[in-house]
Amino acid sequence: MNYPCKRARLMARMTGVIGLAVAFACASSAARAEEFPTKPLRMVVGFAPGGGADIVARLVGAKMAENLGQQVVVENRAGATGTIAADNVARSPADGYSLFLGSQSTMVVAPSLFPSLPFKPEKDFAPVSQIVTMPLILVVNPALVDAKTVQELTDHIRKAGDGAVSYASSGQGGPQHIAGELYAHMVGTKVTHVPYKGEAAAMADVLGGHVPFMFANLPVALPHINSGKVRPLAITSLKRDPKAPQIPTLAESGFKDFEVSTWYGVFAPANTPKPVVGKLSDSIRAALQQGDMQAKLSEQGFTVVGSDSEAFTSFVGAELPRWSVLIRDIGIKPE
C-alpha cells in the first residue's frame, strides 16, 4: 500500500472539509450581520449622567437608533474611572448588542494605573469607532481663587505650600486627574486630588465653592464660563481651540509641551463578529456625518473624528505605551 499517497488523499479530504466549514462559518457570520440588530442595543457609560461621556453616548445613540432601526439604551455605571462599566461589557456576549462608550482614562490610562484590572483593553475589546476628541480647560472658582492667569494660580499654589490647595476631577485615572497631576508636577508643589464619580459632580463642587479649581472637558466647562461662574485660565491642547480662541494654552502660559486631551469611542466585546463590528462602525460614522449631529457636537465643544474599526484599533495600540510612559515619569499612583 502506498501510504504517502493515502495520507495525501486524506489530507486533501480534510482540507476540503475544513475549507467548507470555514466557508459556512463566514456565510453564517455574514448572515447574522445582515440581520443585525433584531433587538435593542445598550451602550454602557462609565460615568454619571451629565458629563462629557454621557452627552456623547446619548447624542450618538439616538442617531444610531435611527439608522439601525433599533433603540440604543444608554446605561450609566459610574465608578472606578469607567472600569466597572468596561468590565461589564467585556463579560457580555460578543454579539454586538452590548457596547462600551470608552475614553482614554479607561482604555489606555487605567491599565498602567491599576495593573490588577479584571480586563485587558487590547485583548478583551474590539474597537468600533473613535467618535470625538476634545481638550480640557483649567478653570477656577473666582470666589475662592483670585487668579486671572496660570502664573497667578501657580504662585497661589506655591505660596500655600504642599497639599494646601486642592483640585477636583471625575475620578482616578481620568484626563482631569492626569492633567492635574502633570500640572502639579511641573509647578513643583503637591496639590491635593479630590476625585468624584463623574465630571458633573466635580464641577458642581467647584461651582459650590468646595474645591477651588479643576481641569474640565470643554463641553462641560463652556456653559459655566459663559455664565461667569468659573474663570478659564488655559486650555490643554498645543494650539488654541477655535471654539474658545480667547483662552491661551498651557504651553503658551509657561508650561512647555503641556498637552492632555480626552477622547471617546465605542468598543464591543472581543470576538464580536467582524461584519457586526463593521455594521456598528458604519452606523456611527453615518451618524457623525449628519450636519445636525456635527453642529450639536461642535456646540458642546467636541471635535468629530469618526474613524473606522481598523484606524481606531491602531490608535489605541499606539496610545497604550505613550500614556504608560507619562504615568511612570510623573509618578502617579493609585490613591
Side-chain angles (χ1 to χ4, degrees):
M1 182 178 293
N2 192 331
Y3 287 104
C5 291
K6 183 177 181 181
R7 179 175 295 177
R9 287 193 296 270
L10 178 60
M11 289 298 294
R13 286 197 295 270
M14 289 178 65
T15 301
V17 170
I18 292 170
L20 284 172
V22 170
F24 282 129
C26 292
S28 176
S29 178
R32 287 197 299 272
E34 188 69 28
E35 296 172 359
F36 176 87
T38 59
K39 61 182 182 180
L41 293 76
R42 68 184 186 120
M43 188 178 297
V44 185
V45 179
F47 301 95
D54 185 65
I55 292 170
V56 170
R58 293 182 188 280
L59 285 174
V60 173
K63 286 294 184 182
M64 289 177 68
E66 291 178 8
N67 61 44
L68 289 175
Q70 291 287 347
Q71 185 180 10
V72 178
V73 179
V74 175
E75 183 179 313
N76 297 90
R77 288 177 175 255
T81 319
T83 58
I84 294 172
D87 186 46
N88 176 268
V89 173
R91 295 172 183 272
S92 298
D95 54 12
Y97 289 97
S98 291
L99 304 173
F100 175 56
L101 194 286
S103 69
Q104 92 260 28
S105 61
T106 306
M107 305 307 279
V108 300
V109 172
S112 295
L113 202 57
F114 309 107
S116 60
L117 282 179
F119 63 87
K120 292 186 178 298
E122 69 275 26
K123 293 183 179 180
D124 295 327
F125 288 92
V128 177
S129 176
Q130 184 182 14
I131 299 174
V132 293
T133 185
M134 78 220 78
L136 305 173
I137 295 183
L138 171 56
V139 297
V140 298
N141 182 321
L144 295 181
V145 181
D146 188 28
K148 297 179 176 63
T149 66
V150 177
Q151 187 58 54
E152 290 179 0
L153 176 61
T154 300
D155 292 342
H156 171 76
I157 291 170
R158 286 172 175 163
K159 184 177 180 181
D162 281 345
V165 179
S166 60
Y167 75 95
S169 86
S170 62
Q172 288 192 60
Q176 299 91 341
H177 178 206
I178 300 299
E181 292 302 305
L182 178 58
Y183 171 60
H185 177 74
M186 296 177 81
V187 167
T189 304
K190 291 181 180 179
V191 182
T192 300
H193 175 220
V194 184
Y196 291 81
K197 289 186 177 181
E199 190 172 17
M203 178 59 78
D205 263 15
V206 172
L207 294 170
H210 302 292
V211 187
F213 79 96
M214 72 177 291
F215 286 85
N217 279 319
L218 184 59
V220 173
L222 277 179
H224 306 299
I225 291 171
N226 294 335
S227 70
K229 293 180 180 178
V230 296
R231 178 182 295 140
L233 301 186
I235 200 162
T236 62
S237 49
L238 290 177
K239 295 181 179 180
R240 294 196 184 199
D241 194 281
K243 303 174 191 67
Q246 76 283 7
I247 303 175
T249 66
L250 265 293
E252 286 179 68
S253 305
F255 291 80
K256 186 181 178 181
D257 298 327
F258 191 109
E259 181 186 17
V260 180
S261 295
T262 190
W263 51 259
Y264 296 121
V266 173
F267 296 81
N271 300 318
T272 299
K274 286 188 176 180
V276 171
V277 171
K279 194 166 187 177
L280 288 167
S281 180
D282 290 344
S283 172
I284 293 169
R285 295 164 69 200
L288 294 174
Q289 289 171 3
Q290 296 184 31
D292 61 334
M293 176 64 120
Q294 291 191 3
K296 287 178 181 177
L297 288 170
S298 180
E299 286 170 7
Q300 294 289 337
F302 298 110
T303 298
V304 173
V305 179
S307 62
D308 60 21
S309 176
E310 288 186 5
F312 192 24
T313 300
S314 297
F315 172 79
V316 173
E319 285 284 278
L320 277 162
R322 185 174 81 86
W323 283 91
S324 176
V325 170
L326 180 62
I327 289 167
R328 182 198 65 200
D329 290 350
I330 299 174
I332 300 176
K333 304 289 185 183
E335 299 173 3

